[in-house]
Structures are given as structure tokens and as C-alpha cells.
Amino acid sequence: MQIEFYGAAREVTGSCHILRANGKTILLDCGMFQGHRAEAAEKNKSLPVPIAEIDAVVLSHAHIDHSGRLPYLVAQGYSRKIFATPATRDLCAVMLRDSAHIQESDAEHLAKHGKTYVPPLYTQQDATRVQELISGVPYQQTFDVVPGIRCTYVDAGHILGSASVLLDVTEGATTKRLVFSGDIGRKGLAIIRDPVVPTGANAVIMESTYGTRDHESVAGARDTLAKTIRDTAARGGRILIPSFAVGRTQELLYNLNGLQREGAIPNIPIYVDSPLAIDTTTVFEMHPEVFDRSEELVTKAKELFHFPQVHFTRTADESKALNTAQGPMVIIAASGMVEAGRILHHLVHGASDPRNTILFVGYQAEGTLGRAIEGKPPTVKIYGNPVELRAQVVQIDGYSAHADRTELTAWIEGVRSTSPALGPVFLVHGEADVQDAFVAALKIQGFDVSAPEPRSQHDV
Ligand SMILES: [Zn+2]
């Protein structure tokens, strides 16, 4: 078999790897490139291989940087199968439609402001068409992707439905197992199960996002969350949490539910102020079959996300009404890096009040407004206007859904312990300098490891 690296090679977005064997071509993921607008737009418009050559797509999980170009494939004429776990399929129904909506609004916005009309990358119809092509296959059920390539999903413990992909590729008389890690989660994350370490690999494609960093513990994150809410509520302030709609928001709600039950935080109202977060929470509720049954709340609570203090605000009017509401409260709103979404108007009204806290629960990339706020300057620009920053700023690092250096190393050690014929390990999905350091560390551990360049081809 041959593997060609295409997206998330020496970078963190655009996950897409090309597997060729027995005259067939399979795409592993088809994710969106994100980052600098013009450069990302250019990359998102080019296809990894001509559509007619793609025999199937195997998707690891629903995050847009792994799934976000599926509607573009369809818009370009792709009509063969896409495989995913059932929860990933259902998350895609919500997330790809939202992504298409963003593409359409961006195109309209640019046209309105006198720029030349550039059609959206894809439309909501294309996103719907993707759903018609996805076959949902549960964890641990082996299926044929194409003749000669069998696939088994195991739980990657990263977000709802996330999978590591085991591909058994038979060519002539030999069968080799290629493992694609997808994004690797962490032990002890709320709601979802711990990652399952794949076995019997001959070659591995492995993510390396946090190859050089360790996180705060998951339990430590929950304690910091509780303390931040107690302190802010005691001042009479509100807690403003910029959050990704998928995974992070549900994990927060789950923790808040537990903390209020335990009396560890006061019974103040909690607003989930994001239509996408509301929809993805519904998808979570549709898939209790993949929840972690070893967690107390999962088995005890009738409703994980609908407890007495939670309010879901869908309309823009409901959202704006929060600006004049009184008393301490928690507001969870997108976007996670404060680049867009309703969190912006909450900050316009709340950033200058020293009783409030802006609480970051995710990584803030360079160049984003979130990163600027983390630096605690006296003022920040929101909607082009200066806003005084007098609210407290708190970061919690332990909510990451990605394995850290120690966990990634344990994962690949675990794979090796059951893989007597382990060959190459290819690192993907990481910044180049992080990958170089992680390659060096794994080489010392005796791995045949590299971080392949985009478009490089490797025979296994
Ligand atoms: Zn992911």
C-alpha cells in the first residue's frame, strides 16, 4: 500500500491522507484548512485527487478540520460512500450545515461590500447531500471499505463519536494493518469513554498536536472551574465563557450539573447562548450508547444537560436580553477563540466590569481576540471599538480534548506493545517545530518515526 500525506501534514488543520492499495484510492478524513483567510481559501478549493479516483472516504470524527470539506467533495461530484460512526454522522448533520451557512453568509457579506462575488465553497444542499452518503458503523464492527480493505473503528476518546481507524489491507497473500489515530483524547474526560489503544499495527499515522506539552489534570480543571464561579458569584459578577459548540460546551454543562448537585457552586443561572451548541447538545442526547458508564452522573442523572438552572437561548433577542439581566450568572457562548459569535456582544457589555470573569477553557491561537484578552491589555477592540478590559481573566487548560505529550507517548508505546511487526510511525496534525521535537523524543524510544511533508508518498 502507499500513503500520500495531503492535509494536516506539518500543520494542524485540513486533515486528509490518501491511501492507495489494490488499485483503489481511499481518503482518510477530508477536513477544512483553517487560518489565514486567503491562503486557507486557496487550499480549500484544491482537491487531493481527482473526484473520479476516490473510491471511498473514511472519517475519524466530526470536527470541521477533519470533516469540513466533505460537502465540497460532493459539490464537485463525489457520490460514493463515506464511512463514520453513527454519532459522528449525526454531529456532521449539524456541523456541516452550520459550516455551509458560514460559507454562504461570508460570500453574501463580501458581495454586499462591493467586492467581487466569490461563490461559497459549498452550500447547505451540499451539506445535506453528504448525509445521504454517510454509512454509520458502530465501534468494533469490522466492515469492507472496498474489496481488500477492511476497517474497524475503536473509540478515540476525543469527542462524541470520535474514532481511531484500523485498516486491514490485503494485497496478494499479505495483510497489513494501518492504524490512523484520528485525534487522540484523554483519560477521564467527562461523558465520553477513554481512548482505546489500537493493536497489531504494521504502520501508524498519528496526531501530534501536543507532542511537547503536558496539560493540567482533568480533575484540576473542574476544581478551577468551581472556584472561579464561586469567587465571581460572590462579587456579584457574571462568568463569560467563550466555548466551542461541540464537546467543550457539553463537558462544561456536565461539570456544572455535577458541581451544582454537590453544592460546590451556587445555584446561579447558566445560559447556553449558541444555537450550534444547542443543536450539538441534542446530538449528544441521541447517543447515550457511547457514554462512559463508569461515570457516576452518567448512570445517575436522568438529564445530563437539562438541569434546573440551565437555560438555552436560541434567538438573537433572547441573547440580547441577557445584557440587561441582573445578578450573577454563567454565559457560555461561541466562538471559542472570540473571533465571532455572540460572545462578542457579551464582552462589549461585560469586559469593563471588574466583578465579571472572562474564563477561557480552550487554546487561544495567535492573532485571535481571545489571545489578545489573555494578555490582559487595558483595552481591547471589539466590533472595531475600544472596550476597557477590567474583568478578571482566567485560563483553564485542563479541558483540552487532545492527549498531551505524556498521553501521546503512552498511546504509541501501547500500540507497540501489541504490534510485533510495527513499521513506520508517521506524525501528522501538529505544528512543524512541535513535530520535530516529538520525532526526536520518539526516536530515542526506538520508533521508526517521521513527520512527512505534504504531498510526500510512502510505501508500506
Ligand atoms: Zn478533533
Side-chain angles (χ1 to χ4, degrees):
M1 69 177 117
Q2 185 201 59
I3 306 163
E4 180 175 338
F5 293 92
Y6 179 78
R10 309 292 281 159
E11 62 180 331
V12 287
T13 68
S15 178
C16 183
H17 319 296
I18 304 159
L19 168 63
R20 295 186 179 91
N22 292 321
K24 300 286 185 189
T25 300
I26 312 285
L27 294 189
L28 304 176
D29 285 350
C30 193
M32 186 94 91
F33 291 95
Q34 294 156 327
H36 297 292
R37 190 178 268 254
E39 192 194 332
E42 214 36 59
K43 282 162 103 171
N44 282 326
K45 273 187 294 185
S46 69
L47 287 167
V49 283
I51 292 290
E53 289 177 23
I54 307 169
D55 294 292
V57 181
V58 176
L59 184 60
S60 67
H61 66 291
H63 273 151
I64 288 297
D65 64 319
H66 293 257
S67 70
R69 293 214 298 157
L70 290 173
Y72 183 63
L73 280 193
V74 167
Q76 299 300 306
Y78 182 74
S79 62
R80 291 181 174 144
K81 280 204 164 156
I82 300 167
F83 296 96
T85 66
T88 295
R89 176 197 60 209
D90 294 345
L91 277 176
C92 279
V94 172
M95 293 171 67
L96 295 178
R97 189 183 60 210
D98 180 73
S99 173
H101 176 68
I102 293 170
Q103 313 287 330
E104 289 171 337
S105 321
D106 274 5
E108 262 172 47
H109 180 84
L110 288 176
K112 236 190 241 165
H113 288 75
K115 309 238 170 82
T116 26
Y117 178 74
V118 182
L121 188 64
Y122 50 80
T123 64
Q124 299 194 51
Q125 280 98 322
D126 300 322
T128 304
R129 180 90 180 96
V130 168
Q131 290 308 119
E132 293 170 18
L133 302 180
I134 300 186
S135 299
V137 188
Y139 296 126
Q140 308 287 1
Q141 286 190 14
T142 302
F143 59 95
D144 285 313
V145 180
V146 290
I149 302 183
R150 291 176 70 68
C151 176
T152 312
Y153 283 127
V154 299
D155 201 328
H158 167 65
I159 61 163
L160 190 83
S162 68
S164 293
V165 185
L166 281 54
L167 293 149
D168 293 316
V169 180
T170 304
E171 291 174 298
T174 53
T175 298
K176 285 184 174 173
R177 173 168 286 184
L178 170 67
V179 166
F180 169 39
S181 70
D183 284 356
I184 303 168
R186 308 175 65 195
K187 283 185 186 164
L189 285 182
I191 312 162
I192 57 171
R193 294 180 194 146
D194 292 349
V196 172
V197 177
T199 55
N202 297 102
V204 178
I205 302 172
M206 178 190 180
E207 73 119 325
S208 54
T209 318
Y210 287 103
T212 55
R213 259 182 60 189
D214 281 334
H215 301 312
E216 179 189 3
S217 73
V218 174
R222 190 177 186 271
D223 292 344
T224 312
L225 175 69
K227 184 179 180 327
T228 305
I229 292 174
R230 282 196 307 268
D231 293 351
T232 310
R235 292 195 298 268
R238 42 179 77 184
I239 300 98
L240 304 174
I241 311 181
S243 178
F244 295 104
V246 183
R248 203 68 46 87
T249 292
Q250 291 75 22
E251 202 179 340
L252 281 169
L253 280 178
Y254 180 88
N255 278 178
L256 292 167
N257 186 353
L259 290 168
Q260 283 194 334
R261 280 166 171 258
E262 293 160 25
I265 56 171
N267 281 326
I268 59 175
I270 295 157
Y271 292 95
V272 179
D273 189 25
S274 156
L276 181 60
I278 297 169
D279 291 341
T280 50
T281 301
T282 305
V283 177
F284 268 69
E285 290 170 318
M286 287 161 59
H287 289 283
E289 80 281 4
V290 294
F291 289 1
D292 188 344
R293 298 275 145 210
S294 70
E295 288 175 33
E296 211 185 320
L297 201 54
V298 165
T299 49
K300 261 194 187 164
K302 266 200 208 126
E303 302 260 23
L304 287 186
F305 310 111
H306 294 262
F307 47 102
Q309 292 296 340
V310 176
H311 309 273
F312 292 88
T313 46
R314 189 177 279 280
T315 68
D317 285 343
E318 287 173 306
S319 174
K320 282 181 194 143
L322 294 177
N323 291 327
T324 49
Q326 297 297 314
M329 64 183 76
V330 177
I331 299 176
I332 303 170
S335 72
M337 295 194 197
V338 204
E339 284 297 274
R342 294 178 176 177
I343 193 67
L344 289 174
H345 84 81
H346 294 301
L347 289 173
V348 166
H349 288 86
S352 57
D353 187 335
R355 294 174 301 172
N356 295 344
T357 299
I358 302 166
L359 175 60
F360 290 105
V361 290
Y363 177 73
Q364 304 300 308
E366 234 178 275
T368 61
L369 182 54
R371 173 67 73 93
I373 293 171
E374 280 187 329
K376 301 179 194 174
T379 58
V380 286
K381 248 191 187 168
I382 306 177
Y383 298 134
N385 301 315
V387 176
E388 254 191 296
L389 179 60
R390 296 176 64 212
Q392 311 289 312
V393 177
V394 175
Q395 289 107 327
I396 304 182
D397 167 53
Y399 278 108
S400 176
H402 280 273
D404 64 13
R405 169 178 47 190
T406 305
E407 291 159 329
L408 286 174
T409 308
W411 186 90
I412 191 65
E413 294 277 11
V415 172
R416 178 162 67 178
S417 71
T418 63
S419 306
L422 180 63
V425 176
F426 302 105
L427 298 187
V428 295
H429 206 285
E431 301 287 358
D433 55 338
V434 171
Q435 290 193 322
D436 292 341
F438 196 41
V439 163
L442 289 180
K443 274 191 175 157
I444 293 169
Q445 306 293 319
F447 288 97
D448 168 10
V449 58
S450 63
E453 294 295 329
R455 284 293 181 198
S456 64
Q457 300 178 340
H458 303 257
D459 293 322
V460 172

